[in-house]
Amino acid sequence: MKRPLVIIGGPTACGKTAMSILLAKKIGGEIISADSMQVYRYMDIGTAKVTLEEAEGIPHYLIDELDPDEPYHVMIFQKKAKAYMQQIWERGNIPIVVGGTGFYINALLYDNTFTETDGDSEFRLACYRQAEENGAESLYQKLLEVDPEYAATTHANNVKRVTRALEYHHFTGEKFSKHNAEQKQKESPYQAAVILLTMERQQLYQRIEQRVDEMMKNGLLEEVKGLLERGYDGSLVSMQGLGYKEFLPYFDGKISLEEAVAELKTGTRRFAKRQLTWFRKQIEGHWIDLSLTEPETALVEMLEYIQSKGILIDGQPKEA
């Protein structure tokens, strides 16, 4: 019998954290973060990490588990998440995987296989250096040459995704688009309910603007400064994350603080748009528009959908 798994995905700032906690309280869930940045310590404000108060006693995993200079990639996520899922099932609870890193979510949902080279960092860092020194477009041109199909689904400025595809091709000789197509044909080994949250575009953008303003009030600039003072510089993959890389030129004296904040808002809007595009194209699930639905109503819809997937029986968690 397949074991139950609930996934909540969607763009940044759409309300995933709040909805996942409401759901977890209803179904006996424990939350695993599918976010490529929240796993790092000292990076709280810029990653919109759930606070102790917000968690309301619901256990969260893959948050604050690594230092910013430690490697973290899809293979590590997949291995750690599966271990936590096993522990959650053994307690008779339901794992709820929550986040906006779609690649991680797909890898877990379909138990995708990866080569050991997917964890190699030397080639990846070389790609990041090329993008930094010669521009993201130069890296994207390489992808166009080796895998035009995947390039067509990826924005040139999404250096992480471009690098991931180049890395796969470099070590395997195969196209990443071909690999993804093969993996998508697999059936999930779990009794899974995938819930995808969205929001009207302008409302989402307004929430992003407000979130960045709140981050600044809560000390985001001091957080980035503290990371630099700890010796975590811009060469690290973690420091190239959204919410951190935008302030590096400010501390180098190249741009003003206002310009850095504006860049963060613009970058976050673009990121949210890319996330929505990815989820629509790459994963199947039940969409809920939170700009049209109150949280309480959305929760009822989530519960009904989960029950329709065989995870809840008469409102009770299905036994693993």
Side-chain angles (χ1 to χ4, degrees):
M1 181 181 292
K2 290 184 177 182
R3 287 181 156 181
L5 173 65
V6 175
I7 289 173
I8 300 178
T12 187
C14 75
K16 295 186 299 294
T17 297
M19 290 307 304
S20 65
I21 291 168
L22 285 174
L23 181 64
K25 290 162 71 174
K26 281 287 187 181
I27 69 172
E30 299 183 37
I31 295 171
I32 300 171
S33 171
D35 185 287
S36 62
M37 291 292 294
Q38 291 185 354
V39 72
Y40 293 116
R41 302 182 186 98
Y42 321 123
M43 306 181 93
D44 303 333
I45 301 170
T47 64
K49 199 174 291 179
V50 64
T51 66
L52 194 61
E53 294 76 18
E54 289 170 338
E56 297 188 39
I58 300 298
H60 282 68
Y61 306 97
L62 291 181
I63 290 178
D64 283 341
E65 295 195 11
L66 300 175
D67 287 335
D69 57 356
E70 293 185 82
Y72 191 58
H73 48 74
V74 67
M75 289 173 64
I76 296 175
F77 163 77
Q78 192 183 51
K79 181 178 180 180
K80 286 179 172 288
K82 288 166 75 172
Y84 283 128
M85 287 161 60
Q86 183 64 37
Q87 295 171 22
I88 294 168
W89 287 323
E90 288 173 357
R91 286 190 286 271
N93 293 332
I94 296 178
I96 304 175
V97 176
V98 183
T101 306
F103 183 58
Y104 284 13
I105 288 174
N106 248 10
L108 185 66
L109 177 61
Y110 296 108
D111 199 21
N112 290 350
T113 54
F114 300 93
T115 65
E116 286 300 316
T117 54
D118 290 313
D120 188 279
S121 61
E122 189 173 332
F123 180 85
R124 186 179 308 128
L125 290 174
C127 288
Y128 288 152
R129 283 195 297 271
Q130 178 178 336
E132 186 175 351
E133 294 170 4
N134 303 318
E137 187 64 36
S138 68
L139 200 64
Y140 186 69
Q141 286 301 319
K142 281 190 174 182
L143 182 59
L144 280 171
E145 293 171 10
V146 301
D147 192 348
E149 294 87 356
Y150 188 77
T153 69
T154 306
H155 194 281
N157 289 334
N158 195 332
V159 175
K160 281 189 176 181
R161 286 190 65 194
V162 171
T163 296
R164 187 184 302 134
L166 286 172
E167 186 178 28
Y168 184 82
H169 180 268
H170 175 79
F171 287 111
T172 68
E174 295 185 359
K175 294 180 178 181
F176 197 48
S177 56
K178 180 175 180 289
H179 168 78
N180 284 353
E182 291 171 350
Q183 296 295 333
K184 283 178 70 175
Q185 298 304 312
K186 294 175 66 175
E187 180 182 340
S188 176
Y190 310 110
Q191 191 75 21
V194 180
I195 298 165
L196 302 172
L197 303 179
T198 187
M199 187 169 281
E200 188 273 325
R201 187 68 57 86
Q202 290 308 312
Q203 185 174 338
L204 179 62
Y205 287 174
Q206 184 178 15
R207 283 171 62 94
I208 288 170
E209 295 267 336
Q210 293 172 345
R211 173 182 276 191
V212 172
D213 289 339
E214 283 297 314
M215 286 178 171
M216 294 305 295
K217 289 178 184 176
N218 293 336
L220 177 56
L221 188 65
E222 291 73 18
E223 181 169 275
V224 180
K225 182 180 179 183
L227 287 161
L228 294 170
E229 289 174 346
R230 287 175 183 269
Y232 302 123
D233 60 45
S235 65
L236 295 172
V237 173
S238 61
M239 291 295 283
Q240 287 299 311
L242 196 64
Y244 298 90
K245 64 181 178 180
E246 293 81 8
F247 293 97
L248 300 179
Y250 165 74
F251 284 108
D252 287 338
K254 296 177 180 177
I255 62 174
S256 68
L257 181 58
E258 291 74 15
E259 288 173 316
V261 172
E263 183 59 34
L264 175 54
K265 289 180 177 179
T266 300
T268 306
R269 289 194 300 270
R270 289 172 177 164
F271 178 59
K273 184 178 179 181
R274 291 196 298 269
Q275 285 176 303
L276 278 168
T277 300
W278 193 96
F279 280 113
R280 287 185 181 122
K281 290 183 177 180
Q282 301 293 334
I283 193 167
E284 292 184 6
H286 181 75
W287 285 88
I288 299 177
D289 189 333
L290 293 178
S291 59
L292 303 175
T293 311
E294 292 298 320
E296 295 77 12
T297 307
L299 179 60
V300 171
E301 188 175 338
M302 291 167 80
L303 290 168
E304 290 175 348
Y305 175 67
I306 290 169
Q307 189 164 12
S308 77
K309 300 300 287 187
I311 295 176
L312 294 178
I313 300 175
D314 297 327
Q316 297 300 316
K318 180 178 179 181
E319 290 189 10

